[in-house]
Every structure is written in structure tokens, then in C-alpha cells.
Amino acid sequence: MTKKTNVSLIMWIIFAMFLVGCINKASNEFDLSKLSRVDIEVVQEDGSYGESEMITDEATVDALRKAFKPIKWEPNAEPKMARKEDIKATLFFKYDENMPERLVEYQIWFNQNNDTATIISNNEEEGYGTLEKDNAQILENIFFNN
């Protein structure tokens, strides 16, 4: 092999390692096991947001991890909702102590007629989602009784 071929081979190997690292990082972008805290804002009757509350208690954050896990996402849907959301929740994901947290924001509507929750995410890979009765009830209890 010539010196030029060796340099090209090394450059391709470095590029491939970089690419694989980026792909792995992107696929784990919002891994619920990395959820470190949740900030919530309750929507008031006048449509404004109430004071932001921070949820950091490990037991509560763990309950939220479990409740968010079964959301059924429809990534390309853009629903129009008839009313303003009930809760705006910002989820904080900590992947590395030396890096800032990654955030995803959810608008959440609790549907009283069938006890489900409708969720719109600002993460394009998630989009629009629904949560069935039991987990929707867990979210509602945590968010309104925190």
C-alpha cells in the first residue's frame, strides 16, 4: 500500500467512527432513563400560564418515566386542538455531567370524557401522541397535586 492509500484509509475510518457516534447519540436523544427533572406550568382559566413548578424528587420523576413510556406517537401528525392545553411540561434529559441538559416540551390535554391524555411534543420524532387511562391519570395526579 502506498502512503497516500494509508492516509485515505485512516481518514475514512475516522469519518466512519464519527458518523457511527452521531447516529448512536441521535437515537438515544430522549431516553426516559436519562430524565432528570420536569418543569410544569398549569394553564389558568384566562389562558395564561401559572407559576412554573419543578419536579426533581426521584420517586416522582421515576413515576413520570413510567407514565410517559407507553405514549403512542404519530410523528407526522399536526393536530389542531379546540382549546389551550392543561399543562405545559418541559422534560430535562441529562446524558453527560459536562454537557447541558437536553429539553423536550410537551403540551398536554387531559380528556375528561374518556380519561385519556393528548400530547403534542416539540420533538419532530414524536409529534402527536396519546396516553391511555391509567398513565394519563398518573400524570394528572402528579401535575395537579405537586
Side-chain angles (χ1 to χ4, degrees):
M1 267 191 204
T2 67
K3 187 174 184 178
K4 187 175 183 178
T5 304
N6 286 339
V7 171
S8 295
L9 181 62
I10 291 171
M11 293 300 288
W12 276 108
I13 290 172
I14 291 171
F15 176 73
M17 289 172 52
F18 176 75
L19 186 62
V20 168
C22 290
I23 290 170
N24 286 340
K25 192 171 220 173
S27 66
N28 293 328
E29 189 170 354
F30 298 112
D31 177 3
L32 285 171
S33 70
K34 303 296 183 182
L35 181 64
S36 60
R37 87 174 207 237
V38 178
D39 288 357
I40 60 168
E41 295 175 87
V42 178
V43 175
Q44 306 300 310
E45 287 183 23
D46 66 359
S48 66
Y49 292 106
E51 190 173 320
S52 179
E53 297 179 37
M54 186 184 317
I55 300 172
T56 57
D57 172 65
E58 186 58 37
T60 306
V61 170
D62 190 49
L64 290 170
R65 283 183 192 113
K66 291 174 184 170
F68 277 113
K69 192 171 188 168
I71 296 173
K72 296 174 186 154
W73 292 110
E74 296 181 34
N76 298 318
E78 292 186 30
K80 299 286 187 220
M81 302 305 285
R83 62 180 173 87
K84 194 157 176 74
E85 71 270 18
D86 298 308
I87 295 281
K88 181 168 71 170
T90 305
L91 281 63
F92 292 74
F93 295 88
K94 188 71 172 175
Y95 289 92
D96 185 338
E97 292 298 319
N98 300 318
M99 298 294 290
E101 293 170 307
R102 294 186 186 162
L103 312 177
V104 63
E105 190 173 281
Y106 292 150
Q107 295 172 289
I108 304 171
W109 289 260
F110 294 103
N111 307 311
Q112 301 305 323
N113 59 341
N114 61 5
D115 295 327
T116 62
T118 301
I119 303 165
I120 297 178
S121 173
N122 70 343
N123 176 6
E124 292 176 2
E125 293 178 12
E126 293 176 334
Y128 163 82
T130 56
L131 196 55
E132 297 303 320
K133 184 177 183 175
D134 293 337
N135 289 304
Q137 190 63 52
I138 291 169
L139 285 185
E140 190 170 10
N141 289 340
I142 291 172
F143 290 156
F144 288 110
N145 297 320
N146 192 30

